[in-house]
Amino acid sequence: GTDMVDVENDTFTVHNPLTLAPVSPLPVLIAALGPVMLRLAGERADGTVLWMADERAVAEHVVPRITKAAESAGRPAPRIVAGIPVCLCSPDRVDEARERANRILGEAEISPNYQRVLEYGDARDVGDLCAAGDENAIAARFKRFADAGVTDLSVRLLPIGDNRDELVASKYRTRDMLAALAADLR
């Protein structure tokens, strides 16, 4: 509504307009990797959120199934959100970034669901999914995901370094580069 909030007591003094705009429908995204869940996501939700799915798995496994289900249900094209680790680093440190991704994020690989989605693509582990390198390498990897059918990215910052200060600095460099890239896309 468009009423006022008027409260005066020993704890609060509030005199503010209360203007609530109409709330638009909230998109519902399902973490769907397998054929049945992708069908359900296409038929009933607004899309899927992925982890451990590389570009080939997205293009050849995810997109065809979820898109067909959405079309059959008369729903709009689904959103496909790819979760990927990202590390801005010099080209000679890409292997270090991949090794760190495997060390700190690799526990997901033991999940049967993630093992199956890895089989649909070329990646063998989370390190293979990592977008690592300089700005151009990261942008190129993002483009390959977009070309595969990804509509949105969910980024996991992946800092590298030999101590806390280096890790923090790496995290902020990557974050700032991603913010600049996002601003350029607007």
Side-chain angles (χ1 to χ4, degrees):
T2 56
D3 294 330
M4 289 288 294
V5 174
D6 286 307
V7 176
E8 282 196 39
N9 59 37
D10 293 338
T11 308
F12 299 103
T13 300
V14 179
H15 301 286
N16 283 330
L18 178 63
T19 305
L20 298 177
V23 177
S24 63
L26 184 65
V28 175
L29 305 173
I30 297 175
L33 299 171
V36 172
M37 289 301 294
L38 286 167
R39 181 178 50 79
L40 288 171
E43 291 174 347
R44 300 181 183 207
D46 298 300
T48 184
V49 179
L50 307 170
W51 181 248
M52 300 294 292
D54 70 7
E55 298 93 321
R56 187 167 72 90
V58 170
E60 296 177 10
H61 171 69
V62 174
V63 170
R65 284 172 173 79
I66 195 170
T67 302
K68 180 181 177 187
E71 288 171 355
S72 296
R75 296 185 53 83
R79 288 173 61 185
I80 299 169
V81 181
I84 59 172
V86 179
C87 178
L88 176 65
C89 61
S90 61
D92 63 326
R93 295 190 77 183
V94 169
D95 287 341
E96 179 184 348
R98 289 187 176 138
E99 289 169 15
R100 181 162 168 81
N102 287 329
R103 190 172 62 253
I104 66 173
L105 302 171
E107 71 279 352
E109 297 164 18
I110 63 168
S111 162
N113 290 331
Y114 294 132
Q115 289 174 359
R116 280 191 291 276
V117 82
L118 283 170
E119 291 172 7
Y120 290 115
D122 297 315
R124 293 296 120 221
D125 54 37
V126 71
D128 289 344
L129 292 166
C130 188
D134 62 19
E135 292 90 343
N136 292 332
I138 292 169
R141 186 77 193 259
F142 288 177
K143 181 164 181 356
R144 290 193 303 272
F145 272 98
D147 291 345
V150 167
T151 60
D152 302 84
L153 289 173
S154 173
V155 170
R156 167 64 156 85
L157 296 178
L158 181 69
I160 58 173
D162 295 324
N163 57 55
R164 184 181 186 288
D165 290 341
E166 289 179 12
L167 290 167
V168 169
S170 174
K171 177 181 88 168
Y172 287 127
R173 275 193 309 275
T174 302
R175 183 200 63 185
D176 293 346
M177 181 274 305
L178 291 169
L181 181 61
D184 289 345
L185 296 175
R186 289 187 185 124

